[in-house]
Amino acid sequence: MITWDGGSNTAARSAALERLDYFCPRAGLVYHKCRNYDYGQNGDAYVSGLSPYIRIGLLTEAECARAALSKHSEHQCRKFLEELFWRVYWKGYLENHRAIWDQYKRDLNLVLEDDSLTRDIATAESGRTGIDCFDSWAKELVETGYLHNHARMWFASIWIFALKLPWQTGAHFFLSHLLDGDVATNTLSWRWVAGLHTKGKAYLASRSNIAKYTENRFAPTQLASKAVPITEDPPLQTLSPRIQAAPIEIDRESKYGFLFTDDDASIPNFGDNRPQTALALFPETRYTRAGISQSVIDFRRSSMDDTVGRLENLGISTVLVFQNHANAIVDWISNHQLDTIACHQPYIGDWNDEWNEIEASIASSGSKLRLFRRWWEADLFPHAQKGFFPFKKRLPAVWERIQSPLVAGLSY
Ligand SMILES: Cc1cc2nc3c(=O)[nH]c(=O)nc-3n(C[C@H](O)[C@H](O)[C@H](O)COP(=O)(O)OP(=O)(O)OC[C@H]3O[C@@H](n4cnc5c(N)ncnc54)[C@H](O)[C@@H]3O)c2cc1C
């Protein structure tokens, strides 16, 4: 059984590290053999449950991989390492195909305006469809903020092919309730199930597969017998990515501040050149308006508080703001007379959509913005162009570097 905030774990880095430590002995062959089984909300779990922490940056993929490699050979824990880097693949893929995000938002708004769908969507979301496994997963998601990967695949497949609801509304339901809700992984995984990622290859949930991997807790009979292809407006325009190099060197003479958002609340390695101050942006009002569940908001908020506390412990005074971010940045720069701002480059998603305004406030204050990326993202994102298979070929070089000492500069 996995619990986070409200259970025995809280949204703090200490809790995230505890969970990583607890999971690591099973990150090898046990994970490889058992990870596809979903024993339900109150059953055993052979997966890590690390995703909410990784999503917010309380843990990074590299440190999870490093921890697994400290207990297992690369061969033994390869499956776990690859799953960790599926997330990096999805994030890189969306950076390279950013029009998918714009198209998703546009189509979601269109289908949400369609009154004829409202009742069926509400029935599905509240778990009243009569398909027992689906109804149980809908309730589990809302109650816990989590679903096993296999349950997510079955759920999405039933949503699209049995209930015939638009995939965008299912993706929106997931993003509103998943503690690990991530724009890239979620949108692209729904597209993968719908057969839009690998054209024509949809994922069809089957009774026998569900019965096998839930150990007969469920064996639904109301599933679709075939995946009717989903169509979308071609072509998706692909714009060139904007991927910054990592690490970056900050001039020692400069007065610099560290800016971060809940896109990535990790603390990079500042080396011996620490920022004077930090500013944390958390869009609580935007989330409430967008219908993000209160438990997701609370989880992210407490993660941000935790990062703020850890920065303060490093002697870096930090302020957390919830709205009017552009104005808050101008005040922060002026109060501390900062000439340089270092910030994780925002991923495609809501923060990136707001980024022009934020960049404009920094520029209007006369400060220089230095964006940076985690090194494995800078290395790997350019290779997330097509399928996971060619991307995967790049991973052994990453495992090697993960086990080497940290590089100099502001990095990870
Ligand atoms: C329709 C659908 C929607 C999804 N939406 C999200 C989402 O919004 N956010 C999210 O983090 N994951 C999402 N996933 C991927 C996956 O289901 C979760 O990452 C995983 O279930 C998290 O549980 P865990 O930490 O116990 O995973 P573990 O099996 O322990 O894996 C370890 C880590 O690897 C990464 N990972 C594992 N499986 C995947 C995967 N298939 N794709 C990408 N990364 C993976 C996660 O960071 C995870 O924490 C989605 C999958 C599907 C099919």
Side-chain angles (χ1 to χ4, degrees), residues 2 4 23 31 35 46-52 54-55 61 80-88 90 146-154 156 174-175 178 180-187 189-193:
I2 301 179
W4 291 272
F23 170 72
Y31 178 81
R35 69 180 192 96
Y46 289 93
V47 288
S48 69
L50 291 170
S51 55
I54 295 174
R55 155 64 182 83
E61 293 93 353
F80 178 65
L81 300 181
E82 282 177 9
E83 291 304 319
L84 280 172
F85 280 79
W86 258 101
R87 182 173 184 280
V88 178
W90 287 131
Y146 179 83
L147 282 183
H148 184 281
N149 180 56
H150 227 153
R152 295 183 201 205
M153 289 161 62
W154 296 320
F174 266 27
L175 266 191
L178 281 172
D180 64 25
D182 171 69
V183 160
T185 311
N186 190 57
T187 311
S189 296
W190 275 84
R191 287 175 61 81
W192 177 85
V193 172

Short mmCIF file of all heavy atoms in Angstrom, two decimals, residues 2 4 23 31 35 46-52 54-55 61 80-88 90 146-154 156 174-175 178 180-187 189-193, ligand 1:
data_model
loop_
_atom_site.label_atom_id
_atom_site.label_comp_id
_atom_site.label_asym_id
_atom_site.label_seq_id
_atom_site.Cartn_x
_atom_site.Cartn_y
_atom_site.Cartn_z
N ILE A 2 0.52 2.23 -0.84
CA ILE A 2 1.33 3.44 -0.95
C ILE A 2 0.50 4.62 -0.45
O ILE A 2 -0.63 4.80 -0.87
CB ILE A 2 1.72 3.69 -2.42
CG1 ILE A 2 2.51 2.49 -2.97
CG2 ILE A 2 2.52 4.95 -2.57
CD1 ILE A 2 2.92 2.63 -4.42
N TRP A 4 0.88 9.03 0.62
CA TRP A 4 1.76 10.20 0.66
C TRP A 4 1.26 11.12 1.74
O TRP A 4 1.00 10.70 2.85
CB TRP A 4 1.80 10.90 -0.71
CG TRP A 4 2.50 10.07 -1.72
CD1 TRP A 4 3.84 10.03 -2.00
CD2 TRP A 4 1.90 9.07 -2.56
NE1 TRP A 4 4.10 9.09 -2.96
CE2 TRP A 4 2.94 8.49 -3.31
CE3 TRP A 4 0.60 8.62 -2.74
CZ2 TRP A 4 2.70 7.49 -4.24
CZ3 TRP A 4 0.37 7.62 -3.66
CH2 TRP A 4 1.41 7.07 -4.39
N PHE A 23 12.60 1.57 -1.00
CA PHE A 23 12.31 0.87 -2.26
C PHE A 23 13.55 0.21 -2.87
O PHE A 23 13.47 -0.86 -3.49
CB PHE A 23 11.69 1.85 -3.27
CG PHE A 23 11.59 1.27 -4.65
CD1 PHE A 23 10.65 0.28 -4.94
CD2 PHE A 23 12.46 1.66 -5.66
CE1 PHE A 23 10.57 -0.30 -6.19
CE2 PHE A 23 12.39 1.09 -6.92
CZ PHE A 23 11.43 0.10 -7.19
N TYR A 31 11.51 -5.82 -8.96
CA TYR A 31 10.75 -4.81 -9.73
C TYR A 31 10.48 -5.33 -11.14
O TYR A 31 9.35 -5.26 -11.64
CB TYR A 31 11.55 -3.51 -9.77
CG TYR A 31 10.88 -2.41 -10.58
CD1 TYR A 31 9.86 -1.63 -10.03
CD2 TYR A 31 11.25 -2.16 -11.91
CE1 TYR A 31 9.24 -0.64 -10.77
CE2 TYR A 31 10.64 -1.17 -12.65
CZ TYR A 31 9.63 -0.42 -12.09
OH TYR A 31 9.01 0.57 -12.82
N ARG A 35 6.47 -5.63 -11.31
CA ARG A 35 5.99 -4.25 -11.42
C ARG A 35 4.65 -4.11 -12.15
O ARG A 35 3.93 -3.15 -11.94
CB ARG A 35 7.04 -3.36 -12.09
CG ARG A 35 7.20 -3.69 -13.54
CD ARG A 35 8.22 -2.86 -14.27
NE ARG A 35 8.06 -3.09 -15.68
CZ ARG A 35 7.38 -2.33 -16.50
NH1 ARG A 35 6.80 -1.24 -16.05
NH2 ARG A 35 7.24 -2.65 -17.77
N TYR A 46 4.72 -3.30 -5.65
CA TYR A 46 6.09 -3.63 -6.06
C TYR A 46 6.70 -2.51 -6.88
O TYR A 46 7.83 -2.61 -7.34
CB TYR A 46 6.11 -4.96 -6.83
CG TYR A 46 5.85 -6.11 -5.89
CD1 TYR A 46 4.56 -6.59 -5.71
CD2 TYR A 46 6.89 -6.66 -5.16
CE1 TYR A 46 4.31 -7.63 -4.81
CE2 TYR A 46 6.65 -7.69 -4.26
CZ TYR A 46 5.36 -8.17 -4.10
OH TYR A 46 5.13 -9.19 -3.20
N VAL A 47 5.92 -1.46 -7.09
CA VAL A 47 6.47 -0.27 -7.75
C VAL A 47 6.93 0.70 -6.65
O VAL A 47 6.63 0.49 -5.48
CB VAL A 47 5.43 0.38 -8.69
CG1 VAL A 47 5.23 -0.46 -9.93
CG2 VAL A 47 4.11 0.63 -7.97
N SER A 48 7.61 1.77 -7.07
CA SER A 48 8.28 2.60 -6.06
C SER A 48 7.38 3.64 -5.39
O SER A 48 7.65 4.05 -4.27
CB SER A 48 9.46 3.32 -6.71
OG SER A 48 8.97 4.30 -7.62
N GLY A 49 6.35 4.12 -6.10
CA GLY A 49 5.56 5.22 -5.56
C GLY A 49 6.35 6.52 -5.48
O GLY A 49 5.98 7.45 -4.76
N LEU A 50 7.42 6.62 -6.24
CA LEU A 50 8.27 7.83 -6.16
C LEU A 50 7.78 8.97 -7.04
O LEU A 50 8.24 10.11 -6.91
CB LEU A 50 9.72 7.47 -6.56
CG LEU A 50 10.47 6.58 -5.57
CD1 LEU A 50 11.77 6.08 -6.18
CD2 LEU A 50 10.75 7.33 -4.27
N SER A 51 6.85 8.67 -7.94
CA SER A 51 6.50 9.67 -8.97
C SER A 51 6.06 11.04 -8.45
O SER A 51 6.47 12.06 -9.02
CB SER A 51 5.47 9.10 -9.94
OG SER A 51 4.35 8.64 -9.24
N PRO A 52 5.26 11.14 -7.36
CA PRO A 52 4.90 12.49 -6.91
C PRO A 52 6.13 13.31 -6.51
O PRO A 52 6.18 14.52 -6.74
CB PRO A 52 3.98 12.23 -5.72
CG PRO A 52 3.41 10.88 -5.98
CD PRO A 52 4.54 10.11 -6.60
N ILE A 54 9.22 12.85 -7.66
CA ILE A 54 10.02 13.16 -8.85
C ILE A 54 9.35 14.30 -9.62
O ILE A 54 10.01 15.21 -10.11
CB ILE A 54 10.16 11.90 -9.75
CG1 ILE A 54 10.97 10.84 -9.00
CG2 ILE A 54 10.83 12.24 -11.07
CD1 ILE A 54 11.07 9.50 -9.71
N ARG A 55 8.04 14.27 -9.69
CA ARG A 55 7.30 15.31 -10.42
C ARG A 55 7.64 16.71 -9.92
O ARG A 55 7.86 17.64 -10.69
CB ARG A 55 5.79 15.02 -10.31
CG ARG A 55 4.85 16.21 -10.46
CD ARG A 55 4.92 16.86 -11.84
NE ARG A 55 4.06 18.01 -11.95
CZ ARG A 55 4.37 19.24 -11.53
NH1 ARG A 55 5.55 19.48 -10.96
NH2 ARG A 55 3.52 20.24 -11.70
N GLU A 61 15.58 12.21 -11.25
CA GLU A 61 15.75 10.90 -11.87
C GLU A 61 17.16 10.39 -11.63
O GLU A 61 17.39 9.21 -11.37
CB GLU A 61 15.51 10.94 -13.38
CG GLU A 61 14.08 11.24 -13.79
CD GLU A 61 13.83 12.72 -14.02
OE1 GLU A 61 14.75 13.53 -13.74
OE2 GLU A 61 12.73 13.07 -14.48
N PHE A 80 14.05 -0.70 -14.04
CA PHE A 80 13.71 0.47 -13.23
C PHE A 80 14.35 1.74 -13.82
O PHE A 80 13.71 2.78 -13.95
CB PHE A 80 14.16 0.26 -11.78
CG PHE A 80 13.89 1.44 -10.89
CD1 PHE A 80 12.59 1.85 -10.63
CD2 PHE A 80 14.94 2.16 -10.33
CE1 PHE A 80 12.33 2.96 -9.81
CE2 PHE A 80 14.69 3.27 -9.52
CZ PHE A 80 13.38 3.66 -9.26
N LEU A 81 15.63 1.61 -14.24
CA LEU A 81 16.31 2.77 -14.83
C LEU A 81 15.58 3.24 -16.08
O LEU A 81 15.37 4.44 -16.29
CB LEU A 81 17.77 2.43 -15.19
CG LEU A 81 18.69 1.97 -14.06
CD1 LEU A 81 20.09 1.69 -14.60
CD2 LEU A 81 18.76 3.00 -12.96
N GLU A 82 15.17 2.28 -16.88
CA GLU A 82 14.49 2.66 -18.13
C GLU A 82 13.15 3.32 -17.84
O GLU A 82 12.78 4.28 -18.50
CB GLU A 82 14.29 1.43 -19.02
CG GLU A 82 15.58 1.05 -19.72
CD GLU A 82 15.45 -0.20 -20.56
OE1 GLU A 82 14.32 -0.71 -20.74
OE2 GLU A 82 16.50 -0.68 -21.03
N GLU A 83 12.43 2.83 -16.85
CA GLU A 83 11.15 3.46 -16.52
C GLU A 83 11.37 4.90 -16.07
O GLU A 83 10.64 5.81 -16.48
CB GLU A 83 10.40 2.67 -15.43
CG GLU A 83 9.90 1.32 -15.88
CD GLU A 83 8.99 1.36 -17.10
OE1 GLU A 83 8.14 2.25 -17.20
OE2 GLU A 83 9.15 0.50 -17.99
N LEU A 84 12.40 5.09 -15.23
CA LEU A 84 12.71 6.46 -14.79
C LEU A 84 12.92 7.38 -15.99
O LEU A 84 12.48 8.53 -16.00
CB LEU A 84 14.01 6.47 -13.98
CG LEU A 84 13.97 6.04 -12.52
CD1 LEU A 84 15.39 5.93 -11.98
CD2 LEU A 84 13.16 7.03 -11.68
N PHE A 85 13.59 6.83 -17.01
CA PHE A 85 13.94 7.68 -18.15
C PHE A 85 12.87 7.70 -19.23
O PHE A 85 12.98 8.47 -20.19
CB PHE A 85 15.35 7.35 -18.66
CG PHE A 85 16.37 8.01 -17.77
CD1 PHE A 85 16.70 7.46 -16.53
CD2 PHE A 85 16.92 9.23 -18.12
CE1 PHE A 85 17.57 8.11 -15.67
CE2 PHE A 85 17.81 9.89 -17.27
CZ PHE A 85 18.14 9.32 -16.04
N TRP A 86 11.80 6.92 -19.05
CA TRP A 86 10.61 7.12 -19.90
C TRP A 86 10.07 8.52 -19.65
O TRP A 86 9.60 9.22 -20.54
CB TRP A 86 9.51 6.09 -19.56
CG TRP A 86 9.43 4.96 -20.52
CD1 TRP A 86 9.94 3.70 -20.33
CD2 TRP A 86 8.83 4.96 -21.83
NE1 TRP A 86 9.67 2.93 -21.44
CE2 TRP A 86 8.99 3.67 -22.37
CE3 TRP A 86 8.16 5.92 -22.59
CZ2 TRP A 86 8.50 3.32 -23.63
CZ3 TRP A 86 7.67 5.58 -23.85
CH2 TRP A 86 7.85 4.29 -24.36
N ARG A 87 10.13 8.92 -18.40
CA ARG A 87 9.63 10.25 -18.06
C ARG A 87 10.45 11.34 -18.75
O ARG A 87 9.90 12.30 -19.29
CB ARG A 87 9.66 10.41 -16.53
CG ARG A 87 9.11 11.72 -16.05
CD ARG A 87 9.03 11.75 -14.53
NE ARG A 87 8.41 12.99 -14.12
CZ ARG A 87 9.05 14.15 -14.03
NH1 ARG A 87 10.32 14.21 -14.31
NH2 ARG A 87 8.40 15.23 -13.66
N VAL A 88 11.76 11.13 -18.76
CA VAL A 88 12.64 12.11 -19.43
C VAL A 88 12.35 12.11 -20.93
O VAL A 88 12.33 13.17 -21.58
CB VAL A 88 14.13 11.78 -19.14
CG1 VAL A 88 15.06 12.75 -19.84
CG2 VAL A 88 14.39 11.77 -17.63
N TRP A 90 9.47 11.41 -22.40
CA TRP A 90 8.20 12.12 -22.68
C TRP A 90 8.41 13.63 -22.58
O TRP A 90 7.90 14.40 -23.39
CB TRP A 90 7.10 11.71 -21.70
CG TRP A 90 6.50 10.34 -21.87
CD1 TRP A 90 6.31 9.42 -20.89
CD2 TRP A 90 5.96 9.74 -23.08
NE1 TRP A 90 5.69 8.29 -21.39
CE2 TRP A 90 5.47 8.46 -22.73
CE3 TRP A 90 5.84 10.16 -24.41
CZ2 TRP A 90 4.88 7.60 -23.66
CZ3 TRP A 90 5.25 9.29 -25.33
CH2 TRP A 90 4.79 8.05 -24.96
N TYR A 146 -3.31 8.74 -6.91
CA TYR A 146 -2.36 7.82 -7.55
C TYR A 146 -3.10 6.66 -8.18
O TYR A 146 -4.13 6.23 -7.69
CB TYR A 146 -1.39 7.28 -6.48
CG TYR A 146 -0.36 6.29 -7.01
CD1 TYR A 146 0.80 6.73 -7.62
CD2 TYR A 146 -0.57 4.91 -6.90
CE1 TYR A 146 1.74 5.82 -8.11
CE2 TYR A 146 0.36 4.00 -7.39
CZ TYR A 146 1.52 4.46 -7.98
OH TYR A 146 2.44 3.58 -8.48
N LEU A 147 -2.56 6.16 -9.28
CA LEU A 147 -2.98 4.87 -9.84
C LEU A 147 -1.72 4.17 -10.33
O LEU A 147 -0.80 4.82 -10.82
CB LEU A 147 -3.91 5.05 -11.04
CG LEU A 147 -5.38 5.39 -10.83
CD1 LEU A 147 -6.09 5.46 -12.19
CD2 LEU A 147 -6.07 4.36 -9.94
N HIS A 148 -1.74 2.85 -10.20
CA HIS A 148 -0.66 2.03 -10.75
C HIS A 148 -0.58 2.26 -12.26
O HIS A 148 -1.60 2.53 -12.90
CB HIS A 148 -0.99 0.57 -10.42
CG HIS A 148 0.06 -0.41 -10.82
ND1 HIS A 148 0.21 -0.84 -12.12
CD2 HIS A 148 1.01 -1.03 -10.10
CE1 HIS A 148 1.22 -1.71 -12.17
NE2 HIS A 148 1.73 -1.83 -10.96
N ASN A 149 0.60 2.10 -12.83
CA ASN A 149 0.77 2.35 -14.28
C ASN A 149 -0.18 1.51 -15.13
O ASN A 149 -0.78 2.00 -16.08
CB ASN A 149 2.23 2.09 -14.68
CG ASN A 149 2.46 2.34 -16.15
OD1 ASN A 149 2.19 3.43 -16.65
ND2 ASN A 149 2.91 1.33 -16.88
N HIS A 150 -0.30 0.23 -14.77
CA HIS A 150 -1.16 -0.64 -15.57
C HIS A 150 -2.62 -0.18 -15.46
O HIS A 150 -3.35 -0.18 -16.46
CB HIS A 150 -1.03 -2.09 -15.07
CG HIS A 150 -0.83 -3.06 -16.17
ND1 HIS A 150 -0.17 -4.25 -16.02
CD2 HIS A 150 -1.22 -3.03 -17.47
CE1 HIS A 150 -0.17 -4.91 -17.16
NE2 HIS A 150 -0.79 -4.19 -18.06
N ALA A 151 -3.03 0.24 -14.27
CA ALA A 151 -4.41 0.73 -14.09
C ALA A 151 -4.62 1.99 -14.92
O ALA A 151 -5.70 2.20 -15.49
CB ALA A 151 -4.69 1.00 -12.61
N ARG A 152 -3.58 2.83 -15.01
CA ARG A 152 -3.71 4.05 -15.84
C ARG A 152 -3.93 3.66 -17.31
O ARG A 152 -4.73 4.27 -18.02
CB ARG A 152 -2.44 4.91 -15.73
CG ARG A 152 -2.22 5.46 -14.34
CD ARG A 152 -1.01 6.38 -14.27
NE ARG A 152 -0.56 6.47 -12.88
CZ ARG A 152 0.12 7.49 -12.36
NH1 ARG A 152 0.45 8.51 -13.11
NH2 ARG A 152 0.49 7.48 -11.10
N MET A 153 -3.19 2.63 -17.75
CA MET A 153 -3.34 2.20 -19.15
C MET A 153 -4.73 1.65 -19.40
O MET A 153 -5.41 1.99 -20.38
CB MET A 153 -2.28 1.15 -19.48
CG MET A 153 -0.88 1.71 -19.56
SD MET A 153 0.41 0.45 -19.40
CE MET A 153 0.10 -0.58 -20.79
N TRP A 154 -5.20 0.76 -18.50
CA TRP A 154 -6.53 0.17 -18.67
C TRP A 154 -7.61 1.26 -18.60
O TRP A 154 -8.54 1.27 -19.40
CB TRP A 154 -6.79 -0.86 -17.56
CG TRP A 154 -5.88 -2.06 -17.55
CD1 TRP A 154 -5.42 -2.76 -18.64
CD2 TRP A 154 -5.32 -2.71 -16.40
NE1 TRP A 154 -4.62 -3.80 -18.24
CE2 TRP A 154 -4.54 -3.80 -16.87
CE3 TRP A 154 -5.39 -2.50 -15.03
CZ2 TRP A 154 -3.84 -4.65 -16.02
CZ3 TRP A 154 -4.70 -3.36 -14.18
CH2 TRP A 154 -3.94 -4.41 -14.66
N ALA A 156 -7.40 4.49 -19.20
CA ALA A 156 -7.41 5.36 -20.38
C ALA A 156 -8.02 4.63 -21.57
O ALA A 156 -8.80 5.21 -22.35
CB ALA A 156 -5.99 5.83 -20.69
N PHE A 174 -7.13 13.16 -15.15
CA PHE A 174 -5.88 12.67 -14.53
C PHE A 174 -5.06 13.85 -13.98
O PHE A 174 -4.59 13.83 -12.86
CB PHE A 174 -5.04 11.90 -15.55
CG PHE A 174 -5.26 10.40 -15.54
CD1 PHE A 174 -6.46 9.85 -15.12
CD2 PHE A 174 -4.25 9.53 -15.96
CE1 PHE A 174 -6.66 8.47 -15.11
CE2 PHE A 174 -4.44 8.15 -15.96
CZ PHE A 174 -5.64 7.62 -15.53
N LEU A 175 -4.87 14.87 -14.82
CA LEU A 175 -4.02 16.01 -14.39
C LEU A 175 -4.61 16.72 -13.17
O LEU A 175 -3.87 17.28 -12.37
CB LEU A 175 -3.88 17.03 -15.52
CG LEU A 175 -2.67 16.92 -16.45
CD1 LEU A 175 -2.57 18.18 -17.31
CD2 LEU A 175 -1.36 16.71 -15.70
N LEU A 178 -3.94 13.55 -10.18
CA LEU A 178 -2.70 12.81 -9.91
C LEU A 178 -1.71 13.67 -9.13
O LEU A 178 -1.38 14.79 -9.56
CB LEU A 178 -2.03 12.42 -11.23
CG LEU A 178 -2.58 11.22 -11.99
CD1 LEU A 178 -1.90 11.12 -13.36
CD2 LEU A 178 -2.39 9.92 -11.20
N ASP A 180 1.29 13.09 -9.13
CA ASP A 180 2.44 13.18 -10.02
C ASP A 180 2.07 13.81 -11.36
O ASP A 180 2.85 13.76 -12.32
CB ASP A 180 3.09 11.80 -10.24
CG ASP A 180 2.17 10.79 -10.95
OD1 ASP A 180 1.26 11.20 -11.69
OD2 ASP A 180 2.38 9.58 -10.76
N GLY A 181 0.88 14.42 -11.45
CA GLY A 181 0.36 14.94 -12.72
C GLY A 181 1.40 15.79 -13.46
O GLY A 181 1.83 16.82 -12.97
N ASP A 182 1.78 15.33 -14.61
CA ASP A 182 2.85 15.99 -15.37
C ASP A 182 2.36 16.17 -16.81
O ASP A 182 1.94 15.20 -17.45
CB ASP A 182 4.10 15.09 -15.34
CG ASP A 182 5.16 15.58 -16.29
OD1 ASP A 182 5.73 16.65 -16.01
OD2 ASP A 182 5.43 14.90 -17.31
N VAL A 183 2.43 17.41 -17.27
CA VAL A 183 1.88 17.75 -18.58
C VAL A 183 2.40 16.81 -19.67
O VAL A 183 1.63 16.26 -20.46
CB VAL A 183 2.21 19.23 -18.90
CG1 VAL A 183 2.11 19.51 -20.38
CG2 VAL A 183 1.29 20.15 -18.11
N ALA A 184 3.71 16.62 -19.73
CA ALA A 184 4.27 15.84 -20.84
C ALA A 184 3.92 14.37 -20.72
O ALA A 184 3.35 13.76 -21.64
CB ALA A 184 5.79 16.02 -20.88
N THR A 185 4.22 13.76 -19.56
CA THR A 185 4.00 12.32 -19.41
C THR A 185 2.53 11.99 -19.56
O THR A 185 2.16 11.01 -20.22
CB THR A 185 4.50 11.84 -18.03
OG1 THR A 185 5.81 12.35 -17.83
CG2 THR A 185 4.52 10.35 -17.93
N ASN A 186 1.69 12.81 -18.97
CA ASN A 186 0.26 12.52 -19.00
C ASN A 186 -0.32 12.68 -20.40
O ASN A 186 -0.95 11.77 -20.95
CB ASN A 186 -0.46 13.43 -18.00
CG ASN A 186 -1.89 13.00 -17.80
OD1 ASN A 186 -2.18 11.87 -17.42
ND2 ASN A 186 -2.80 13.90 -18.10
N THR A 187 -0.08 13.84 -21.02
CA THR A 187 -0.66 14.09 -22.34
C THR A 187 -0.18 13.03 -23.34
O THR A 187 -0.97 12.46 -24.10
CB THR A 187 -0.24 15.49 -22.86
OG1 THR A 187 -0.48 16.44 -21.83
CG2 THR A 187 -1.01 15.89 -24.10
N SER A 189 1.13 10.04 -22.74
CA SER A 189 0.70 8.67 -22.44
C SER A 189 -0.74 8.46 -22.89
O SER A 189 -1.09 7.40 -23.43
CB SER A 189 0.79 8.38 -20.94
OG SER A 189 2.12 8.44 -20.51
N TRP A 190 -1.60 9.45 -22.69
CA TRP A 190 -2.98 9.34 -23.20
C TRP A 190 -2.96 9.23 -24.72
O TRP A 190 -3.71 8.44 -25.31
CB TRP A 190 -3.84 10.52 -22.74
CG TRP A 190 -4.43 10.30 -21.37
CD1 TRP A 190 -3.82 10.55 -20.18
CD2 TRP A 190 -5.72 9.75 -21.05
NE1 TRP A 190 -4.65 10.20 -19.14
CE2 TRP A 190 -5.84 9.72 -19.65
CE3 TRP A 190 -6.80 9.31 -21.82
CZ2 TRP A 190 -6.98 9.24 -18.99
CZ3 TRP A 190 -7.94 8.84 -21.16
CH2 TRP A 190 -8.02 8.81 -19.78
N ARG A 191 -2.11 9.98 -25.36
CA ARG A 191 -2.02 9.91 -26.83
C ARG A 191 -1.50 8.53 -27.26
O ARG A 191 -1.92 7.99 -28.28
CB ARG A 191 -1.11 11.02 -27.37
CG ARG A 191 -1.76 12.40 -27.29
CD ARG A 191 -0.78 13.48 -27.71
NE ARG A 191 -0.33 13.31 -29.09
CZ ARG A 191 -1.02 13.68 -30.17
NH1 ARG A 191 -2.19 14.28 -30.02
NH2 ARG A 191 -0.54 13.48 -31.39
N TRP A 192 -0.59 7.99 -26.47
CA TRP A 192 -0.05 6.66 -26.78
C TRP A 192 -1.18 5.62 -26.71
O TRP A 192 -1.35 4.80 -27.61
CB TRP A 192 1.08 6.33 -25.79
CG TRP A 192 1.67 4.97 -25.96
CD1 TRP A 192 2.66 4.62 -26.82
CD2 TRP A 192 1.29 3.77 -25.25
NE1 TRP A 192 2.92 3.27 -26.70
CE2 TRP A 192 2.10 2.73 -25.75
CE3 TRP A 192 0.34 3.49 -24.26
CZ2 TRP A 192 1.99 1.42 -25.28
CZ3 TRP A 192 0.23 2.18 -23.80
CH2 TRP A 192 1.05 1.17 -24.30
N VAL A 193 -1.98 5.67 -25.65
CA VAL A 193 -3.10 4.72 -25.51
C VAL A 193 -4.07 4.91 -26.68
O VAL A 193 -4.56 3.94 -27.27
CB VAL A 193 -3.84 4.93 -24.15
CG1 VAL A 193 -5.12 4.09 -24.10
CG2 VAL A 193 -2.93 4.57 -22.98
C1 LIG B 1 -2.52 7.35 -19.26
C2 LIG B 1 -1.29 7.53 -18.42
C3 LIG B 1 -1.05 8.74 -17.76
C4 LIG B 1 0.10 8.92 -17.01
N1 LIG B 1 0.31 10.14 -16.38
C5 LIG B 1 1.44 10.34 -15.67
C6 LIG B 1 1.70 11.59 -15.05
O1 LIG B 1 0.93 12.55 -15.16
N2 LIG B 1 2.85 11.73 -14.34
C7 LIG B 1 3.76 10.70 -14.21
O2 LIG B 1 4.78 10.87 -13.53
N3 LIG B 1 3.54 9.52 -14.82
C8 LIG B 1 2.43 9.30 -15.53
N4 LIG B 1 2.22 8.09 -16.13
C9 LIG B 1 3.31 7.10 -16.12
C10 LIG B 1 3.28 6.07 -14.99
O3 LIG B 1 2.01 5.50 -14.88
C11 LIG B 1 3.68 6.66 -13.63
O4 LIG B 1 4.89 7.37 -13.75
C12 LIG B 1 3.90 5.56 -12.61
O5 LIG B 1 2.73 4.79 -12.48
C13 LIG B 1 4.28 6.17 -11.27
O6 LIG B 1 4.29 5.22 -10.25
P1 LIG B 1 5.62 4.76 -9.55
O7 LIG B 1 6.40 5.94 -9.10
O8 LIG B 1 5.24 3.77 -8.50
O9 LIG B 1 6.37 4.06 -10.77
P2 LIG B 1 7.61 3.08 -10.83
O10 LIG B 1 7.22 1.90 -11.63
O11 LIG B 1 8.17 2.82 -9.50
O12 LIG B 1 8.65 3.88 -11.72
C14 LIG B 1 9.66 4.74 -11.20
C15 LIG B 1 9.56 6.08 -11.86
O13 LIG B 1 9.75 5.97 -13.26
C16 LIG B 1 8.88 6.88 -13.95
N5 LIG B 1 7.93 6.09 -14.75
C17 LIG B 1 7.50 4.84 -14.50
N6 LIG B 1 6.68 4.42 -15.50
C18 LIG B 1 6.60 5.44 -16.37
C19 LIG B 1 5.92 5.62 -17.61
N7 LIG B 1 5.16 4.67 -18.15
N8 LIG B 1 6.06 6.80 -18.24
C20 LIG B 1 6.85 7.78 -17.72
N9 LIG B 1 7.52 7.66 -16.57
C21 LIG B 1 7.39 6.50 -15.89
C22 LIG B 1 8.15 7.67 -12.88
O14 LIG B 1 8.85 8.87 -12.62
C23 LIG B 1 8.22 6.75 -11.69
O15 LIG B 1 8.15 7.39 -10.46
C24 LIG B 1 1.06 7.88 -16.90
C25 LIG B 1 0.82 6.65 -17.55
C26 LIG B 1 -0.35 6.48 -18.29
C27 LIG B 1 -0.58 5.15 -18.98
#
